[in-house]
Amino acid sequence: PLPVWARMLLFVYCEWADRAERELVSLALVGEDPSVTFYCERDPLPRRPTKFVREVVYPLLKRGEVAARDSAFSTRLREFVERVKDGDQQRPCIAFDYDADQRFFNQAYRGFGHGTHPVKPPVDYLDLNTLGVKYAVACERFFHEHPQYAATRHNALTDACVASCAYLATKARQ
């Protein structure tokens, strides 16, 4: 297989409703090229979110066309991954900085336990924590320097965009 830097990187970010990290709210994937984007929110939303999620995350949701029932959510995600894979001729690499994001990606891809898709996602994974503290600092710097992103922090799409920018900034400094 090609090394990670030679493949399509997709930065995943999720929001979830509960402290146990079991109830997905939204999932975003953003490529190094920001025109390569997937974003979906669950419909209906989890009924018992934490206070933080109810007061901070839910108000940032877009709803409308991006809200989908579980089966449609999973179908959209699988179709997106297939389009990216076909266009790149290689398995995309899902970059994450929190284990729950990888778990939620797998859960959404396979169908949330409702008639689960029998095949593992055709992707590889990159743990952004292997970049060390430089990546975390780059994320915080980006939020500090771009107030328009800071205003919507804790929206999965915003956070995935910032992860992509922080990764590129970290790699440029190496």
Side-chain angles (χ1 to χ4, degrees), residues 85-98:
K85 187 177 82 162
D86 288 344
D88 194 45
Q89 302 293 319
Q90 293 291 328
R91 292 163 58 103
C93 187
I94 305 297
F96 65 95
D97 64 13
Y98 193 70

Side-chain angles (χ1 to χ4, degrees), residues 77-148:
L77 180 58
R78 286 192 292 267
E79 289 171 352
F80 174 80
V81 169
E82 284 303 311
R83 279 194 310 273
V84 170
K85 187 177 82 162
D86 288 344
D88 194 45
Q89 302 293 319
Q90 293 291 328
R91 292 163 58 103
C93 187
I94 305 297
F96 65 95
D97 64 13
Y98 193 70
D99 289 340
D101 294 326
Q102 181 186 10
R103 280 195 327 272
F104 280 126
F105 172 83
N106 287 324
Q107 178 188 38
Y109 187 92
R110 297 193 77 173
F112 297 99
H114 308 290
T116 57
H117 195 287
V119 179
K120 288 183 185 179
V123 300
D124 295 314
Y125 296 97
L126 170 64
D127 183 347
L128 295 168
N129 293 300
T130 61
L131 298 172
V133 72
K134 293 176 188 176
Y135 168 75
V137 168
C139 285
E140 293 307 315
R141 182 180 302 120
F142 191 89
F143 278 121
H144 178 74
E145 293 173 357
H146 299 87
Q148 70 275 25

Side-chain angles (χ1 to χ4, degrees), residues 2 22 24 47 150 165:
L2 290 173
R22 291 189 185 132
L24 180 67
R47 292 190 179 121
C165 293

